[in-house]
Amino acid sequence: MALTGLQIYKFLPKTNCKKCGLPTCLAFAMALAQKKASLDKCPDIDAAGKQALESASQPPMATLKFGIKDNEIELGGETVLFRHEKTFFHAPALVILLSDSLPEEEFKSKIENIRKMEFERVGMMFGIDAVALKNDSGNAETFAARAAAASEIPLVLISEDIGSVKKARAGISTQRPVVIGADAGNCEEWAKMAQETDCILAVKGKDLEEVAETSQKIQAQGFKNIMLCPKAENMKEALHSLTSSWRLCLKKSYRPLGYPLIGMAGGDIALAANFVCKYAGMVIVETEKYEELLALITLRLNIYTDPQKPLMMEAKLYEVGKPDENSPVIVTTNFSLTFYTVQPEIENSKIPAWLLITDSEGQSVLTAWAADKFNAEVIAQSLQKCGVAEKVKHKKLIIPGYVAVLKAKVEEESGWEVLVGPKEASALPKYLKESWR
Ligand code: SF4
C-alpha cells in the first residue's frame, strides 16, 4: 500500500539540506508521496531507508509485457479491486486453447481463422489476443513445429516437459511467450529456464497457498516475470481463489501474489465470463465459436471501460448509406450511444445522409449543450472543417430537437439554414420522409 508523506518522512535524514531541490525533508516526503519526486534525488538517505521506501513504492501488482516484440500486450498492473474506485488498466487477454496433437493442416487452418477473427463493438475493432498451445502429443518435435507455425500470434506454451518448452521457445524468437508448467516441485529449474530464455513463467499449484509459496521461491531467485495459475475444482472455488489473490495483493501488498492471474476455463464459457469479471489477467478458453467469443469480448469491454472516460466516436463526417449532393446533413454529438442510436434510425429512413459528429468529449446532446460543448461555435467550426459544403449543393443542416434553441445562433455562425429535427432519434425516419426535400 502507498505510504503517506509522514510515513516516508520517518525514513529520511531530516537534515533539511535542500540537496533534493526542496526546502525541507518533509516537503520532499510529501512530493514523494504524491509521486512528484524520485527517491534518488536525496543523496543522503541510508541503505535501510532506501530499501524500505523502494519496496513500499513498488506497485502492488506487477505489469508484464507479453507477446510479439514491439507490439506487446500488457497484463496486470491493477491497483484497485473495483473499477469505480479508479479504473482498471489492462483488460484480460483472451486466449484460445489448441492442442498440438491436431493434424498439421487442421492446426494451420485454425491458426489462420483465429488470426482473421474480428469483432466490432461501439466502433472499436477487437481480435483474439493469443493462442495457448497444449503439448498433448507429448512429443517435443511436434510441440515445437506447432509453436513455430503459430509464431505470428502471441503464444502460451503449456507442457509438463521443460525440454519440450525449451525446444518450442527456441523457434519463436520474435515474441515473449507465457509458459505454463512450473510448480512447487520443479520451480527452480523452470525459473532458471524462463530467465535464460526471456519467458513469462506461470506458476501452477493445487491451491492459492501453494502458488504463493512457489512464487516466493521464484522471486527469491531474482525472477519476477511471473503469472499465477491456481487450480480450482469448480467455479465457486475458482472465483474464491482469484478474488482472495487480488485482495491479498492489493489490500495487504502481499508480494508473492503481486502478479496477474490466469483463468483456465476449458470449454466452460460461463466460467470464462466469471474470470473476465473477477479477476483474471488472462483467460484461456477452448472454443472458436464466434458468438461465444463475441459475448466474452463484449463483457470484457464493459468491465474494463474507464468509468472516467465516456465511450466516444471519432468526431468527423460519416456517410450513412450512399449520400450525394442532395442528401441531408444531420449533426449530433460524439457520445457513442448517441451515434449508435441516430445512425440506425437514418438507415431505417432509407434516406442516405451525411452525419456530422462533433467533439463533445463523449457527452450526449443535452449534457454537452448544458456543458457548452455542443454550441453554435462548435457546430459551425465542425461544419467548416469536415468539408461537407463541397459534397452537397444545399446549405441545410438538421440539428437535434433538444437544442432547437441553437437554431438562430448556428445560422448566424455558419451561414447555413438550420432545420430543427426531432427530439428522439426514433422519430428521425418519419421526420426525414416528411420533411426532407
Ligand atoms: Fe532532506 Fe534528503 Fe532533501 Fe536533504 S536531500 S532536504 S536530507 S530529503
Side-chain angles (χ1 to χ4, degrees):
M1 220 176 300
L3 297 181
T4 65
L6 284 178
Q7 286 168 326
I8 293 171
Y9 179 66
K10 287 179 193 158
F11 294 101
L12 297 179
K14 305 181 191 68
T15 56
N16 300 330
C17 71
K18 301 187 178 60
K19 288 182 207 162
C20 58
L22 288 161
T24 62
C25 292
L26 184 59
F28 183 65
M30 293 302 176
L32 271 181
Q34 292 164 18
K35 307 212 181 304
K36 289 180 180 166
S38 62
L39 197 55
D40 57 9
K41 294 283 182 219
C42 173
D44 297 334
I45 186 163
D46 63 25
K50 200 169 180 182
Q51 194 184 5
L53 289 177
E54 273 176 352
S55 83
S57 64
Q58 277 175 18
M61 185 187 294
T63 302
L64 304 179
K65 288 192 171 183
F66 154 64
I68 308 295
K69 279 180 190 156
D70 300 326
N71 195 23
E72 289 100 339
I73 300 165
E74 292 202 334
L75 307 169
E78 303 302 341
T79 57
V80 291
L81 271 176
F82 304 105
R83 184 185 63 168
H84 63 263
E85 291 176 310
K86 188 175 183 185
T87 187
F88 291 148
F89 293 101
H90 299 121
L94 188 58
V95 181
I96 293 181
L97 183 72
L98 291 182
S99 170
D100 75 341
S101 57
L102 285 168
E104 186 179 354
E105 285 313 310
E106 189 184 344
F107 181 81
K108 283 184 179 168
S109 149
K110 281 180 184 280
I111 290 291
E112 202 45 36
N113 286 343
I114 291 168
R115 271 164 49 83
K116 284 184 187 157
M117 274 186 179
E118 280 191 330
F119 306 85
E120 185 182 356
R121 299 299 300 166
V122 284
M124 293 182 275
M125 300 304 296
F126 300 93
I128 297 302
D129 298 303
V131 163
L133 181 63
K134 194 168 176 216
N135 186 203
D136 289 325
S137 69
N139 181 304
E141 304 290 337
T142 307
F143 192 49
R146 298 291 181 271
S151 64
E152 287 179 28
I153 299 183
L155 285 173
V156 178
L157 302 175
I158 307 175
S159 179
E160 304 289 319
D161 176 42
I162 194 167
S164 298
V165 170
K166 279 184 189 170
K167 199 167 181 57
R169 175 43 179 140
I172 51 169
S173 57
T174 54
Q175 62 167 287
R176 175 186 286 148
V178 173
V179 167
I180 303 182
D183 57 28
N186 63 19
C187 62
E188 281 93 353
E189 189 191 4
W190 281 68
K192 189 165 174 285
M193 178 274 296
Q195 191 144 30
E196 286 168 358
T197 58
D198 189 26
C199 298
I200 295 170
L201 186 62
V203 176
K204 296 188 296 177
K206 68 178 187 320
D207 53 28
L208 200 57
E209 203 176 337
E210 187 174 287
V211 164
E213 280 169 17
T214 309
S215 135
Q216 203 159 18
K217 275 194 217 164
I218 294 174
Q219 277 185 81
Q221 281 181 244
F223 185 71
K224 294 189 176 163
N225 279 336
I226 299 171
M227 292 189 80
L228 310 173
C229 192
K231 193 173 174 201
E233 294 301 329
N234 51 49
M235 193 182 296
K236 189 177 169 190
E237 228 177 73
L239 279 180
H240 182 260
S241 182
L242 268 64
T243 305
S244 303
S245 182
W246 264 44
R247 282 191 177 281
L248 287 163
C249 162
L250 299 180
K251 295 291 178 195
K252 304 287 181 194
S253 292
Y254 183 54
R255 294 284 167 206
L257 296 178
Y259 299 99
L261 291 148
I262 295 180
M264 302 283 279
D268 186 340
I269 302 304
L271 180 57
N274 272 296
F275 284 143
V276 169
C277 295
K278 288 175 183 275
Y279 281 112
M282 174 180 282
V283 180
I284 300 181
V285 68
E286 200 172 353
T287 181
E288 291 140 65
K289 287 184 187 161
Y290 184 89
E291 61 278 14
E292 291 180 344
L293 294 163
L294 178 63
L296 293 174
I297 283 171
T298 305
L299 176 66
R300 182 179 69 171
L301 182 61
N302 282 308
I303 301 288
Y304 281 80
T305 300
D306 186 343
Q308 298 160 82
K309 288 187 197 157
L311 283 175
M312 61 179 96
M313 303 297 296
E314 186 185 349
K316 64 175 190 178
L317 187 68
Y318 291 80
E319 293 182 13
V320 185
K322 291 194 173 139
D324 60 21
E325 58 189 13
N326 296 310
S327 300
V329 180
I330 301 168
V331 67
T332 190
T333 67
N334 70 338
F335 180 37
S336 60
L337 193 57
T338 301
F339 178 90
Y340 283 103
T341 309
V342 170
Q343 188 219 32
E345 294 299 352
I346 298 173
E347 281 174 348
N348 287 345
S349 76
K350 308 271 188 277
I351 297 176
W354 302 96
L355 179 56
L356 175 58
I357 296 298
T358 63
D359 182 3
S360 65
E361 298 178 8
Q363 298 176 28
S364 62
V365 169
L366 269 181
T367 313
W369 171 72
D372 208 22
K373 304 286 181 198
F374 189 58
N375 57 31
E377 290 78 17
V378 168
I379 295 171
Q381 280 169 17
S382 302
L383 258 180
Q384 195 181 13
K385 202 169 139 201
C386 75
V388 70
E390 284 88 59
K391 297 179 189 292
V392 293
K393 64 179 186 186
H394 61 82
K395 287 187 90 178
K396 291 180 182 174
L397 175 70
I398 300 171
I399 64 171
Y402 277 118
V403 290
V405 68
L406 290 177
K407 176 178 163 54
K409 194 84 196 311
V410 174
E411 287 183 337
E412 188 185 316
E413 290 282 337
S414 66
W416 283 52
E417 180 188 347
V418 170
L419 310 175
V420 176
K423 286 184 176 174
E424 303 300 337
S426 56
L428 259 174
K430 186 168 183 283
Y431 171 85
L432 288 173
K433 278 177 198 156
E434 290 176 359
S435 310
W436 183 252
R437 295 284 179 270

